[in-house]
Amino acid sequence: MDFIRRACISIWAKKGKSLLMLILLFVLCSLVFAGFAIQSATEKSTDIARKKLGGDVTLNLNMDKLMKEMEAGKQPDEVPILKIEDIEKVKNLKQVASHQYVVDASAAKVDKGPIKSPKKDDSEGGGQIAMASGSDGKTPDMPDFMISGTNNTDGVAKFKNGKEKIVSGKGITDKDKGNVAVIEKRFADQNKLKVGDKFKLKEMKTGKPIEFTVQGIYTSSEATGSQQFPVDFMEPANKIYVPIDAAMPFTHDGSLTSATYTMTDPQLINTFKKEAIKLSNVDKDFYKWDANDEAYKKMITPIQNVASFANVIVVITALAGGLILALLVLLSIRERRFEMGVLLSLGENKTKLIGQFLVEVIIIGMIAFSVACFTSQPIGQAVTNQMLAKEVEQAKDDEANQPQSGAMVTSFAGSGEEDKPKGEAIDSVNVDISRQDMVEVGGIGLLVVIVATLLPCLFIIRLQPKMILSKND
């Protein structure tokens, strides 16, 4: 093991070059550490972002695409009907914890009047809704009630976030069929309705009255007159929940408005979407499976850009560091030709001579790696914070300069954009150096050291002692 002893003596004797190599390997390890740490932080951040946005996937009309086609002057085709039969099998996928069907419709009063909406002046932010005339020149009647068909009121967004809650009777469940209804307390009080009482609603198309039985009464935290437009049917108190089959006669075409599936784990969303697309029979040109993708993209884009740059840093650092290290080893070998000639003439094996150079670099590399393990976390954190701050600022500028397009789709059942979790760009991450990072960086560093040392050492293999000593003379 003399070659190991000689390697240690050589490191101590050539302090300047050893220090230079130590600094090079320290920088190499630190940058690679930072790159891996940023990648790990990015993976954790994407998991947090997905969990924050929830595990819901909604099938609904792709309004952004339709609006863009209309803005481009293209007349969209007739929207196909979304039927439960087309998506019935999706609810049985293993990723699904629960499902929620929504049917939006409207109805006119028969024997019970709606809560009247207070009129607003234009200066107060109110406005009027213009109703287009029909083919006979008559303006159609304005509905009095919002009908929200659902298979489960507990799964409705506003019930889940506490804006609405049952105070009497019970809500709608999968078992409920037929003409039962859950009404708002203000509407119930005005019309002296209680659980078990009956009232009628009229279809807008045919004018046919349909009788409903009050199954439950709920309260809404939204105040009367809180809506932008002063019309009765948009008042929160005039929203009536009924089963899916009971809502269909009140719709324009008998179509579902949306279907929402809650995942057992938010991380299963992508897998679910792929399987749902294959299993369902919906027109992909009109409908989309949306997991609040725009908000998710907004949250993770800055940190993903930082991670992409970190990947580039890792590759460039490994290549550039390896080349510089190989050059240093080559220069060291050329300066130590006399030492090699003497050792070879004394019968030293060429393999052990190469091993000496390799041990020298590995020992220096181990010292550099050990120091980098302690210093890379604050270095990586500082670099990440600086890069991420610039990316977030750039994302905000891009968002401010982006023209608004598309439409905001609001469901009567409370699944509008305002009820979705909001996505703000991730502007801070915790960079940690894990044991896995140490193993990976150590492996990359060792590989770079071995390759960068062995390639110049090929110079030794082809030389003979007499040739080396004669050249030195």
Side-chain angles (χ1 to χ4, degrees):
M1 304 296 284
D2 284 343
F3 71 95
I4 297 178
R5 181 177 59 82
R6 291 198 306 269
C8 296
I9 294 174
S10 178
I11 292 173
W12 184 254
K14 303 179 184 299
K15 296 182 181 66
K17 290 184 179 179
S18 298
L19 180 62
L20 180 62
M21 191 173 293
L22 177 66
I23 294 173
L24 171 64
L25 291 174
F26 170 74
V27 173
L28 170 65
C29 290
S30 296
L31 291 177
V32 175
F33 257 131
F36 276 95
I38 292 172
Q39 291 174 17
S40 299
T42 301
E43 293 176 1
K44 294 177 182 177
S45 298
T46 54
D47 292 344
I48 292 172
R50 180 51 77 189
K51 290 178 180 178
K52 181 179 179 180
L53 293 175
D56 290 347
V57 181
T58 301
L59 174 65
N60 53 20
L61 273 177
N62 190 346
M63 292 302 299
D64 288 334
K65 180 179 179 181
L66 295 177
M67 289 299 296
K68 287 178 181 178
E69 289 181 354
M70 293 176 66
E71 290 171 1
K74 181 180 178 181
Q75 187 65 29
D77 298 329
E78 183 178 353
V79 178
I81 295 174
L82 179 60
K83 299 179 181 179
I84 292 181
E85 293 79 14
D86 297 333
I87 55 175
E88 185 68 23
K89 296 180 181 179
V90 176
K91 68 181 183 182
N92 298 322
L93 289 174
K94 61 183 179 181
Q95 299 91 350
V96 178
S98 62
H99 67 286
Q100 175 77 18
Y101 297 142
V102 173
V103 175
D104 288 343
S106 57
K109 64 181 180 180
V110 178
D111 54 348
K112 305 297 180 184
I115 298 295
K116 290 297 181 181
S117 176
K119 303 301 179 184
K120 296 182 181 179
D121 296 330
D122 290 341
S123 60
E124 296 177 349
Q128 300 296 325
I129 297 180
M131 298 295 290
S133 299
S135 57
D136 57 358
K138 295 181 179 180
T139 301
D141 294 332
M142 184 73 74
D144 298 299
F145 299 98
M146 294 185 291
I147 302 296
S148 297
T150 178
N151 63 311
N152 180 21
T153 47
D154 287 341
V156 173
K158 290 186 177 179
F159 276 92
K160 290 169 70 174
N161 61 30
K163 291 182 179 180
E164 296 176 349
K165 59 181 180 179
I166 300 292
V167 294
S168 180
K170 62 178 184 177
I172 306 295
T173 66
D174 279 320
K175 297 179 181 179
D176 291 317
K177 305 292 180 183
N179 298 336
V180 294
V182 177
I183 60 176
E184 213 275 336
K185 189 175 185 300
R186 284 167 286 182
F187 169 69
D189 292 343
Q190 174 178 290
N191 293 281
K192 296 180 174 55
L193 291 171
K194 60 183 183 297
V195 175
D197 290 346
K198 300 181 183 297
F199 68 100
K200 293 181 179 180
L201 297 174
K202 184 168 61 176
E203 294 181 21
M204 297 300 297
K205 288 191 300 183
T206 65
K208 176 184 177 183
I210 299 178
E211 188 175 66
F212 284 84
T213 301
V214 178
Q215 175 171 291
I217 298 175
Y218 73 95
T219 58
S220 172
S221 61
E222 296 180 84
T224 301
S226 60
Q227 304 303 304
Q228 180 179 2
F229 299 105
V231 289
D232 294 345
F233 84 97
M234 295 189 70
E235 282 297 323
N238 294 328
K239 179 167 58 179
I240 300 174
Y241 290 100
V242 300
I244 295 293
D245 62 326
M248 285 301 181
F250 295 91
T251 62
H252 171 68
D253 53 8
S255 174
L256 286 175
T257 301
S258 65
T260 300
Y261 300 87
T262 301
M263 303 294 101
T264 55
D265 184 343
Q267 301 305 317
L268 299 175
I269 283 179
N270 291 334
T271 303
F272 166 78
K273 288 171 71 173
K274 293 177 182 178
E275 294 186 19
I277 291 173
K278 295 178 181 179
L279 201 58
S280 61
N281 185 27
V282 296
D283 194 322
K284 300 179 182 63
D285 292 332
F286 288 92
Y287 293 94
K288 67 174 181 178
W289 295 90
D290 181 32
N292 211 355
D293 295 325
E294 287 299 322
Y296 179 69
K297 182 179 178 181
K298 178 180 176 182
M299 290 183 71
I300 68 170
T301 295
I303 186 63
Q304 282 189 332
N305 291 341
V306 173
S308 298
F309 187 70
N311 291 338
V312 175
I313 289 178
V314 169
V315 175
I316 292 178
T317 300
L319 293 176
L323 290 174
I324 296 174
L325 181 61
L327 179 61
L328 289 176
V329 174
L330 179 61
L331 292 175
S332 177
I333 291 174
R334 292 179 65 87
E335 291 177 358
R336 297 165 66 179
R337 285 180 300 179
F338 181 75
E339 176 189 344
M340 291 187 296
V342 171
L343 290 171
L344 290 173
S345 63
L346 292 175
E348 181 66 280
N349 189 288
K350 289 183 180 180
T351 303
K352 289 186 177 181
L353 198 57
I354 294 173
Q356 176 183 335
F357 288 110
L358 187 59
V359 169
E360 289 178 16
V361 181
I362 289 177
I363 291 175
I364 296 173
M366 289 174 63
I367 298 173
F369 177 80
S370 300
V371 176
C373 287
F374 293 99
T375 61
S376 294
Q377 193 279 330
I379 293 174
Q381 186 71 63
V383 171
T384 303
N385 290 343
Q386 184 69 20
M387 294 171 62
L388 188 56
K390 291 182 179 180
E391 288 292 338
V392 171
E393 184 179 356
Q394 182 63 44
K396 290 180 178 178
D397 292 340
D398 293 343
E399 184 179 3
N401 296 329
Q402 185 177 2
Q404 297 295 322
S405 62
M408 180 182 292
V409 181
T410 302
S411 168
F412 293 158
S415 57
E417 296 293 327
E418 73 278 3
D419 292 305
K420 291 183 178 181
K422 299 299 185 292
E424 294 296 332
I426 296 174
D427 56 5
S428 64
V429 293
N430 292 324
V431 176
D432 295 317
I433 305 299
S434 65
R435 183 177 299 178
Q436 181 66 25
D437 293 331
M438 293 183 183
V439 172
E440 292 177 350
V441 173
I444 292 176
L446 182 61
L447 180 63
V448 170
V449 165
I450 291 174
V451 173
T453 304
L454 291 181
L455 288 178
C457 284
L458 295 176
F459 171 77
I460 300 175
I461 297 176
R462 63 185 182 86
L463 296 180
Q464 299 298 325
K466 183 177 181 180
M467 183 186 301
I468 297 174
L469 294 174
S470 62
K471 283 187 178 181
N472 191 65
D473 293 337

